Amino acid sequence: MSFKLSRPNAEKTSIYYYIRKSRQGHSIKLKFYPGISISPDEWDAKNQRVRQRDNIPHVDYNSTLKIIERTVEDVFAENDFFSLTEEAIKGEIEKAINRDTSKSNSKNVVLDLFSFSEDSFYKTAVTLYETERARVGRSAANIKSVANKILKFRPGTDWKDIDYKFYVEYKAWCFSKGDSINTVDQNIKTLRRIMRFGQDLGHVKDPAFLLFKTKSVKAHKIYLDETELDKLHKAEGLPPHIDKAKDLFLLGCWTGMRIENYMTLEETNINLKTKKITYLINKGGRLITIPMHPVVIDILNKYHGKLPDATKDDKDFNKWVRKACELAGITEKIIVVKNVSGKDREVTNEKWKFVTGHTARRSLCTNLYLRGLEVEEIMSITGHDSYKECVGYIKVPLRGIEKPIPKDVWNIKR
């Protein structure tokens, strides 16, 4: 998904948003024209924005483009992909930019915000989502997705319906859909957060939501060791889109940034002279400075001081990173414990199949710990706020926690 120019060689050209997605036989192709015409030299293709010019309303233009991006992002995040159509997506974009949608057919979009009253459960959740999104970015998306999920579970749900019985039945429904304990745990935490917000606004009278309990299990997550990262870095002959995703992933592996940070870095964050990356972390807004690993320098030089222009779509990014790992030979068979429908199950597969964009941060934390750094030192690079949180990203036993088994273990007298 990206913005393009309809006639890049003409004196004046229109901007359009191009969407092309396909999954298991269902495909979506859409060109959406927001009605913005500019000269080709007024377009910044890398940043997907109109350049600052005195003779055009670039601020208004870019605001519209940002609204389109976010709207499409939300539509795909909050709806069943296989129920979406080009007409439905177009209708949602037009509503977002305040166009007349009387001729648009958006019935296939699961939820219509305007069908809910101002003090309803869903509209209040959306208000919280918009507030949090401005503060913490992508990590706020769970608020809206949980609200949507609850209305799929029981259409028409409002404040008075969410009692302890609702909580028990909703959890059972989530497990029946194959959700893990940790996914359900996160959903319940988010639901309580929405309920507290509704209580503050005076919409919630029954405090039963305070009894909604959460339970999580320690998830089995993998990391890539330095040998595997070296193999990935040296992998050659990859298709361009996979190679760019691989390089962006490696940048995350050697900086330890959250996925939302390393996928949105800009040139202003990078200083090749001092060999440092400086950026504001989303959670807390603290300024972090990271020394560049030689692999990071190599990647930035490869792209002439810029970041690889890889996809920003999470599903495509994970798919292409996994493919790069497979082609690089990260094919050792490992056992991972996964929680499905509330039950732990052992899954055996080649390691590359378990890699995601989040593997990068775990890899940096674990590899630095294996190099002998203390947890507190790692926190200064990753920006973790607590010791416990950082330890959760280290996927090897902590020093002093486990001792080697004695060679004569079976001869020890008890």
Side-chain angles (χ1 to χ4, degrees), residues 47 92 164 178-179 214 230 272 305 335 347 352 368 397:
N47 293 311
E92 289 301 299
Y164 194 80
D179 288 350
T214 60
D230 188 53
L272 278 169
I335 298 174
V347 179
W352 64 268
L368 286 182

Side-chain angles (χ1 to χ4, degrees), residues 142-210:
N142 197 43
I143 297 170
K144 203 169 178 183
S145 64
V146 167
N148 284 330
K149 192 168 186 175
I150 285 171
L151 292 187
K152 286 180 184 178
F153 159 63
R154 193 161 291 169
T157 295
D158 214 339
W159 301 114
K160 60 182 173 49
D161 305 311
I162 304 175
D163 54 15
Y164 194 80
K165 183 172 181 279
F166 176 94
Y167 151 75
V168 173
E169 292 174 349
Y170 174 63
K171 277 180 64 176
W173 179 79
C174 289
F175 284 133
S176 74
K177 296 295 181 182
D179 288 350
S180 69
I181 286 178
N182 287 354
T183 298
V184 176
D185 170 72
Q186 189 59 50
N187 283 348
I188 297 300
K189 284 180 180 176
T190 302
L191 173 58
R192 287 199 318 205
R193 188 176 174 194
I194 297 169
M195 295 297 286
R196 281 197 200 94
F197 187 67
Q199 188 180 49
D200 292 342
L201 295 174
H203 305 325
V204 178
K205 309 302 181 185
D206 184 355
F209 71 90
L210 296 172

